[in-house]
Amino acid sequence: MSKRSWNHFQKKEPAPSRGPVTGCDLADFSALLSPFCQDPFCRLRPPFSMEAARLSLELADMTYTLDLDPWKDAGWTDFSILIDDSLQSGLTHWESGEGLRAFVNKFRIMRAKVSLLDPNPVSQVLSALRQREKSDTVKAVCMMHPGENGTWLLAIGFMGTGKRFYDWISNFRFTTEEGFHRGFYQLCESFELNAESIVFPTAAQALGVEKLTLGEVFASMRSLRSPFRLWMAGHSQGSAVMQVLTHRLMTDWGVLPQNMVGYGFASPTVATGRFVYDPAAYPLHHILNSDDTVPRMGALLHLGMCEEYKSDEAIRQTTYGWSMEEEAVQLRDELAFFEEGMTDMPAVLMYTTALLQCMAEEKGADGLNDLMTSWWAIPAVDRVLWRAGDRAMDLVEKFNEHSQQGHIALTGRPLDEDALRTLRERIRPIVKQHSARSLWHVLLEYGAAPHHLTLRDRQQDGAYAYIVRQSAQQLRPFVWIKQSGHLPLRRYADWDPDGCTPRSALAIARRKRQPALPVHGKLRVSYSARKL
């Protein structure tokens, strides 16, 4: 959406109960309560709804801003904010007439917002050191809304990675735990540890109980007669945590899938499939931008059903904001094969390792130090990381080692040295011609622009807000199918000519005696020939 159209939308001054991004009614959640129906892949799940997608985008966006006022005005209550190991739970009302309680609640919300920024360099370094053993930087908002006949809707929004540099550490835990991406799994565990500390005082009073905790709500949802329904949403890392939590709720807590629904945006893959019977059998929907590389990262597959938007020039020109300087345009063209080649997490590890190895060979320690220093904008962190002159080279070696471990965990085999060598030689002319900073800047553009939920600093839609607001009809569903001895396969939904019977792209390909070819951007990649 252009800046002009965004400003026009803002001037409408929607009612306080309207979402600030899509303008949807935050009190109307009927689309989230629809009964399960059969999807194009012959599985029962909550029907995909654009009304539910808009609500979910609002919830995912709110986890970044912690602007709770529109939700409070729409009737939501019992807010809990979890930032790392700090929990502010049971926030109800904060009108000016409520005196001390209003002041305390506003102070707790302000403290949570400050902790998301963490401007203290010393605190950032200490927090990073705390992540060495286990990730605990989960960020979530819980809240309740009364429904009809004594029912309650529990909403949990999970925030994405955020602006603090140590929030990224969990994303780089490429190895696996219980068949899931280790970093995302640990964040989910960190959230679950607070299940008995997150409380809902208003709901407890209405239900006539002394105290109501999140753990008790989960326990209640083991029954179809439960008064509670769970709605979750998240963007990026937040959507990854949502997927792991859904799995754990169904397998460890015994929560019935009929009591849950979730929407993710820019969702990473989270599981290997080894401890998941059917990846598609989860009550989750994921909206993915085909230009976005993040949904191809993490592990091997998503849980639930994905809705992929095939990117075009309209979304790129409207929301990406790519630099049009001559060198940037040239570099984007030269690196197109790099972005397109990262079709899944094993390929991401392969391409990234080849690039770093090539840059280390061509730019040396000074070039890498210059690159990394341009990334970290915190002087204290710079001093810690680059005290030794060859620290960047050490980090490259550590990353290469970590990539090997992650590749083995996902595929059962190390990175292919011949393939690495071929990639390095293809990348080398580009690395020689351009500075490390220019390369890094364009790669960040490629990765960040298609990934944004909203762009508040530019007062316009990000890629995912654009998709939800304007382009829902172009979404193409797919699910992941496990294959014995092979990596998981994307199965897209297509329809027979009579428009009645759903069939998969895999079945069509077999009928034509061709391999099924999932599409990422302009590249078509066959997974069927890639063995574990």
Side-chain angles (χ1 to χ4, degrees):
M1 190 164 94
S2 68
K3 186 171 183 179
R4 178 180 177 182
S5 57
W6 173 276
N7 289 337
H8 176 71
F9 175 76
Q10 294 293 82
K11 289 175 182 177
K12 292 181 181 178
E13 296 180 354
S17 62
R18 297 281 174 179
V21 181
T22 67
C24 67
D25 186 352
L26 301 180
D28 182 7
F29 46 82
S30 57
L32 298 166
L33 305 178
S34 300
F36 277 34
C37 64
Q38 184 171 291
D39 69 14
F41 307 95
C42 301
R43 290 169 177 80
L44 293 176
R45 71 174 69 254
F48 179 81
S49 159
M50 286 315 303
E51 291 78 9
R54 283 189 282 270
L55 267 172
S56 298
L57 187 136
E58 295 287 356
L59 177 56
D61 182 65
M62 181 266 281
T63 62
Y64 287 95
T65 66
L66 297 184
D67 183 8
L68 306 182
D69 285 335
W71 298 85
K72 176 182 66 69
D73 293 336
W76 292 85
T77 186
D78 291 350
F79 297 91
S80 294
I81 304 173
L82 176 64
I83 309 294
D84 305 339
D85 55 356
S86 175
L87 174 64
Q88 315 294 328
S89 188
L91 307 180
T92 53
H93 303 286
W94 46 88
E95 284 85 355
S96 58
E98 293 195 2
L100 182 60
R101 186 172 68 169
F103 173 79
V104 171
N105 282 347
K106 286 185 177 181
F107 174 77
R108 292 161 75 186
I109 295 171
M110 180 184 69
R111 185 168 62 179
K113 291 181 178 181
V114 171
S115 66
L116 284 178
L117 301 175
D118 198 358
N120 187 331
V122 176
S123 174
Q124 292 215 40
V125 172
L126 293 176
S127 297
L129 293 175
R130 195 179 71 241
Q131 308 306 309
R132 293 169 63 182
E133 299 300 326
K134 190 170 184 178
S135 297
D136 68 353
T137 56
V138 65
K139 301 168 286 293
V141 177
C142 303
M143 57 188 180
M144 282 277 197
H145 197 294
E148 298 179 352
N149 303 318
T151 60
W152 289 81
L153 179 63
L154 164 63
I156 305 179
F158 292 101
M159 180 181 163
T161 302
K163 297 181 178 180
R164 306 173 308 183
F165 84 92
Y166 55 86
D167 288 337
W168 287 82
I169 294 176
S170 57
N171 297 341
F172 294 112
R173 296 192 189 278
F174 302 138
T175 53
T176 60
E177 187 168 338
E178 299 295 324
F180 286 86
H181 180 284
R182 182 180 296 273
F184 301 151
Y185 191 86
Q186 291 178 351
L187 291 177
C188 179
E189 284 186 319
S190 180
F191 175 79
E192 287 183 84
L193 289 175
N194 293 273
E196 299 305 324
S197 301
I198 295 174
V199 295
F200 305 99
T202 304
Q205 183 179 8
L207 294 170
V209 297
E210 182 177 351
K211 184 180 180 182
L212 182 64
T213 68
L214 181 62
E216 291 169 334
V217 173
F218 287 162
S220 169
M221 289 195 295
R222 297 170 185 162
S223 169
L224 287 175
R225 295 187 298 273
S226 172
F228 303 105
R229 288 287 299 273
L230 170 62
W231 163 44
M232 295 176 289
H235 170 247
S236 193
Q237 183 191 91
S239 180
V241 178
M242 178 190 73
Q243 294 177 73
V244 181
L245 179 62
T246 302
H247 173 80
R248 288 181 59 84
L249 288 176
M250 291 171 59
T251 58
D252 292 13
W253 291 81
V255 174
L256 298 177
Q258 294 91 328
N259 289 329
M260 294 187 288
V261 62
Y263 279 73
F265 304 89
S267 310
T269 52
V270 299
T272 63
R274 292 168 190 160
F275 299 100
V276 174
Y277 176 72
D278 182 4
Y282 291 81
L284 302 176
H285 295 279
H286 304 284
I287 296 179
L288 311 177
N289 178 8
S290 66
D291 276 350
D292 190 358
T293 57
V294 171
R296 312 173 208 169
M297 300 181 183
L300 295 179
L301 53 84
H302 300 91
L303 302 182
M305 185 168 76
C306 300
E307 307 279 350
E308 185 181 59
Y309 173 80
K310 184 65 174 68
S311 298
D312 52 24
E313 286 306 311
I315 189 173
R316 294 176 187 130
Q317 294 178 9
T318 303
T319 69
Y320 289 7
W322 280 343
S323 171
M324 298 310 295
E325 294 182 4
E326 183 177 353
E327 183 182 18
V329 174
Q330 178 187 349
L331 255 177
R332 279 202 300 272
D333 290 341
E334 293 175 353
L335 290 172
F337 81 94
F338 189 89
E339 188 273 339
E340 293 171 343
M342 295 192 293
T343 55
D344 57 12
M345 191 58 192
V348 168
L349 294 174
M350 176 74 71
Y351 274 73
T352 306
T353 301
L355 174 65
L356 288 177
Q357 289 177 347
C358 185
M359 291 185 68
E361 293 170 0
E362 295 298 328
K363 304 299 184 184
D366 291 340
L368 287 174
N369 277 333
D370 180 60
L371 168 64
M372 296 302 181
T373 303
S374 70
W375 189 16
W376 305 114
I378 307 167
V381 176
D382 290 340
R383 289 194 293 271
V384 170
L385 293 177
W386 315 124
R387 187 175 300 169
D390 59 350
R391 178 66 67 184
M393 299 295 283
D394 291 343
L395 287 180
V396 169
E397 289 302 317
K398 287 290 185 182
F399 183 86
N400 292 342
E401 179 183 340
H402 199 50
S403 294
Q404 287 283 8
Q405 294 172 353
H407 199 275
I408 292 172
L410 292 174
T411 68
R413 61 178 185 273
L415 291 164
D416 187 323
E417 292 297 331
D418 291 336
L420 278 174
R421 188 179 306 108
T422 300
L423 271 175
R424 285 198 302 270
E425 293 313 307
R426 185 174 183 183
I427 296 170
R428 195 177 304 280
I430 304 173
V431 173
K432 284 183 175 180
Q433 182 179 358
H434 301 278
S435 68
R437 290 198 180 202
S438 296
L439 285 166
W440 185 249
H441 178 72
V442 169
L443 286 172
L444 282 181
E445 275 195 333
Y446 255 137
H451 184 64
H452 287 303
L453 195 66
T454 58
L455 292 170
R456 294 186 177 277
D457 57 334
R458 299 216 313 255
Q459 292 189 318
Q460 66 182 62
D461 282 347
Y464 285 91
Y466 174 93
I467 292 170
V468 169
R469 285 169 58 83
Q470 303 187 32
S471 306
Q473 69 277 8
Q474 300 180 39
L475 296 177
R476 183 186 180 200
F478 73 85
V479 295
W480 288 96
I481 304 297
K482 295 198 303 181
Q483 300 185 106
S484 178
H486 294 76
L487 295 184
L489 172 74
R490 286 187 178 202
R491 178 172 291 178
Y492 284 86
D494 289 307
W495 294 83
D496 281 327
D498 59 10
C500 297
T501 306
R503 59 181 182 165
S504 71
L506 181 62
I508 298 171
R510 285 175 176 167
R511 181 178 299 179
K512 296 180 179 179
R513 297 185 179 181
Q514 296 176 353
L517 298 174
V519 178
H520 290 291
K522 299 179 181 178
L523 188 70
R524 302 173 68 85
V525 181
S526 173
Y527 287 69
S528 59
R530 301 179 60 181
K531 292 189 176 181
L532 292 173

